Amino acid sequence: MDLLDRPSVRLPGPCPEIETARLTLRPHRPGDADAIAQSLADFQVARMLSRVPAPYDRQDAADWLSRVRSGLTPDWALAITTGDDVHIGVVGLELRHGLWHLGYWLNRYYWGRGLMSEAASAAIERFFRRMPDVVLHSGAFADNTASLRIQEKLGFSVKGCGDLYSLARNAVAPHIETELTQAGFRPAARC
């Protein structure tokens, strides 16, 4: 029996569209492939992710989009877009091994503006409205201090550390594991 067929597994429902002060988070479209490929071809972005190869090209993006858009998983993979619908990153909530995980990335040219805090906060807030009793897991490579600051600001607490293989780095690197409950969630300040 597949995990999704088990009656005990609660699911958050279809991937929503969420508006924030500066962003729109929406389900992905096939036309997002070029922007995804451009962002993840940047090694400074890809090296902070565990499952992204380097080099990364348009076919990698098209394959990922095909899986995301298949509807075969309960995951939310939200495109982070600006007011003119430019795809600048992803915030995802993924069911892995029976646990919900938050993951995200942002095109490097948008770093340092508080956009990821805004996007992740909005996605988490919507997720907890639908799944209030879930513990949300996340983490970051130890050298990704910006990501760890985002998680700390949102209320994630450190639960451990270990080593995790990074496909882009082609190496194992120290990884900090974090988790968040609805009670501990601190939404990012509205812009």
Side-chain angles (χ1 to χ4, degrees):
M1 176 182 275
D2 188 275
L3 177 65
L4 300 179
D5 296 330
R6 294 181 193 159
S8 63
V9 176
R10 279 194 46 235
L11 303 176
C15 189
E17 184 164 309
I18 304 168
E19 297 286 333
T20 72
R22 300 180 289 173
L23 304 168
T24 298
L25 310 180
R26 60 162 173 78
H28 279 85
R29 302 176 186 144
D32 294 329
D34 288 333
I36 293 168
Q38 181 182 21
S39 293
L40 293 180
D42 181 344
F43 186 71
Q44 296 306 311
V45 177
R47 69 183 292 277
M48 296 302 180
L49 305 169
S50 63
R51 297 180 288 167
V52 172
Y56 191 92
D57 62 29
R58 189 181 189 293
Q59 188 59 53
D60 293 317
D63 292 346
W64 181 79
L65 281 170
S66 179
R67 284 190 305 276
V68 165
R69 294 178 41 79
S70 72
L72 297 177
T73 68
D75 306 336
W76 288 359
L78 296 156
I80 303 170
T81 65
T82 58
D84 53 0
D85 202 37
V86 172
H87 187 290
I88 62 170
V90 172
V91 60
L93 293 137
E94 177 183 30
L95 185 62
R96 289 193 321 235
H97 310 292
L99 301 173
W100 284 97
H101 294 262
L102 172 75
Y104 48 85
W105 59 264
L106 192 65
N107 180 296
R108 183 163 46 114
Y109 297 102
Y110 293 88
W111 290 0
R113 301 180 193 179
L115 296 173
M116 186 49 74
S117 293
E118 185 176 332
S121 179
I124 292 167
E125 189 171 36
R126 179 70 58 90
F127 181 79
F128 276 146
R129 271 195 251 155
R130 296 185 184 185
M131 306 284 284
D133 299 325
V134 167
V135 174
L136 193 54
H137 300 266
S138 194
F141 286 109
D143 61 347
N144 190 348
T145 56
S147 186
L148 291 167
R149 276 193 309 270
I150 289 168
Q151 291 176 38
E152 180 182 13
K153 185 181 348 179
L154 295 174
F156 281 85
S157 57
V158 173
K159 290 300 171 190
C161 59
D163 291 327
L164 184 64
Y165 182 76
S166 167
L167 195 54
R169 298 176 193 213
N170 192 28
V172 172
H175 190 265
I176 310 298
E177 305 293 332
T178 63
E179 68 180 30
L180 176 69
T181 63
Q182 185 180 34
F185 177 49
R186 295 188 304 262
R190 303 283 183 213
C191 298

